[in-house]
Amino acid sequence: MQQKSEQTNMKDGKMYPIEIKNLSVTYRTEPALWNIDLNFPEGKMIAIVGPNGAGKSTLIKAVMGLVPITAGKVSIYGKSYSKQRSKVAYVPQRGSVDWDFPTDALDVVEMGLYGKLGWLRRPNSNTKKKARECLEKVGLGDYADRQIGQLSGGQQQRVFVARSLAQDPEIYLMDEPLNGVDAVTEDTILSILENLRKEGKTIVMVHHDLQTVDKYFDWVVLLNRNLIASGPIKEVFTKENLDTAYQEKYRVSFR
Ligand code: ADP
Ligand code: MG
């Protein structure tokens, strides 16, 4: 019998951006994630798909140690998240953010840079400049001084994307950034992500719209507490797998 290797998985001599081994997360009694084994490939647009309560947000949070892991292990390029946090940026689900917080758009973006400042923790003209550039990239150059609570939902989402860009990470973890946003925001975010992918960055996005999965993504992770399937869209985004994930017949047009 072959012994299971304890070594870090590698592909062509390179480490995976994210490696998840036997991960389980239990908040109270019921597990939200059960025994997930998963490697995320580098330089791909990856969708995490599954019904409400499937553990999609939990999976993203577990990668960053934001929820207690009951069992298993997560590695970022072969090391713990705490050693690699500068390589990872997170765009939280919009509903989970307190928009009454009294801060303007530029501040939100600049805060993304604090982790990079090292011992000299005070923001300076460089961080302001960088933050402004990132706001311009998401089409919000004129909104720098606007209180975030006064921005539209789509604009708020773009501010958080700008914040992640300012961090200049290798891996973007995004929780439903396209949910309920206007068309301008969707197009802006998608074209930014397309450029990031061309630069070899890895984008992991919780995505709710099954109709656009094969259009936007290279790779899909189907989740429903258990891992249903993970792989290239063509191999994995099948009716059978969707039926298993959603426990019902799901209408999606397949190419
Ligand atoms: P999804 O993002 O796929 O909708 P979540 O990861 O948010 O799913 O939640 C998975 C399950 O864990 C759900 O049953 C949810 O109610 C539960 N859950 C999520 N966060 C918490 C928490 N902080 N405390 C207790 N239960 C939670
Ligand atoms: Mg969620």
Side-chain angles (χ1 to χ4, degrees):
M1 207 174 82
Q2 210 178 0
Q3 242 190 329
K4 199 174 174 192
S5 168
E6 283 301 312
Q7 277 191 326
T8 302
N9 286 324
M10 310 250 277
K11 186 173 176 261
D12 306 330
K14 284 181 87 172
M15 266 177 281
Y16 286 103
I18 304 174
E19 215 184 301
I20 297 173
K21 280 186 187 167
N22 311 114
L23 173 73
S24 294
V25 175
T26 303
Y27 290 108
R28 293 192 190 97
T29 47
E30 284 271 290
L33 289 175
W34 184 248
N35 210 17
I36 307 289
D37 244 322
L38 188 57
N39 296 320
F40 289 84
E42 188 171 54
K44 301 272 189 245
M45 275 278 280
I46 301 158
I48 299 180
V49 169
N52 276 339
K56 305 180 297 294
S57 297
T58 299
L59 183 68
I60 284 202
K61 288 177 188 165
V63 169
M64 291 173 292
L66 293 176
V67 293
I69 288 176
T70 318
K73 193 178 160 200
V74 176
S75 316
I76 310 291
Y77 285 108
K79 295 183 187 154
S80 69
Y81 171 76
S82 59
K83 293 203 174 87
Q84 302 281 48
R85 56 177 80 235
S86 68
K87 291 195 171 72
V88 183
Y90 172 48
V91 176
Q93 205 164 349
R94 207 150 46 86
S96 67
V97 179
D98 177 10
W99 298 105
D100 290 334
F101 198 74
T103 183
D104 64 32
L106 191 68
D107 286 336
V108 174
V109 179
E110 216 178 342
M111 275 183 249
L113 285 160
Y114 289 1
K116 293 236 175 229
L117 293 178
W119 62 271
L120 194 77
R121 290 214 152 256
R122 264 180 45 198
N124 52 43
S125 57
N126 275 341
T127 57
K128 282 246 184 299
K129 184 164 168 277
K130 173 100 183 169
R132 268 185 200 285
E133 283 168 11
C134 292
L135 272 179
E136 276 159 24
K137 280 187 195 163
V138 299
L140 294 177
D142 294 336
Y143 292 80
D145 303 331
R146 197 70 73 86
Q147 292 289 304
I148 48 164
Q150 291 170 356
L151 297 174
S152 75
Q155 289 168 333
Q156 290 170 342
Q157 194 61 273
R158 279 187 272 158
V159 170
F160 270 76
V161 171
R163 183 178 187 272
S164 69
L165 290 173
Q167 288 171 262
D168 197 21
E170 294 302 314
I171 301 166
Y172 290 79
L173 300 176
M174 308 182 133
D175 202 343
E176 305 208 34
L178 305 180
N179 196 8
V181 301
D182 54 284
V184 173
T185 297
E186 178 148 343
D187 292 349
T188 307
I189 292 177
L190 284 168
S191 81
I192 286 170
L193 296 181
E194 183 57 36
N195 285 331
L196 291 170
R197 179 176 56 176
K198 281 183 191 147
E199 291 169 20
K201 310 291 185 190
T202 303
I203 297 135
V204 180
M205 186 195 285
V206 178
H207 190 64
H208 65 286
D209 179 12
L210 295 177
Q211 298 297 340
T212 51
V213 168
D214 72 339
K215 191 166 144 210
Y216 296 163
F217 296 91
D218 308 305
W219 193 276
V220 66
V221 173
L222 278 163
L223 198 66
N224 193 351
R225 292 183 196 220
N226 299 286
L227 179 66
I228 310 299
S230 162
I233 300 287
K234 276 205 165 64
E235 290 167 27
V236 163
F237 197 63
T238 61
K239 189 169 185 318
E240 291 71 28
N241 282 338
L242 282 169
D243 286 347
T244 309
Y246 287 82
Q247 308 282 313
E248 60 182 277
K249 303 291 172 210
Y250 223 88
R251 283 177 66 85
V252 184
S253 45
F254 289 92
R255 278 202 293 225

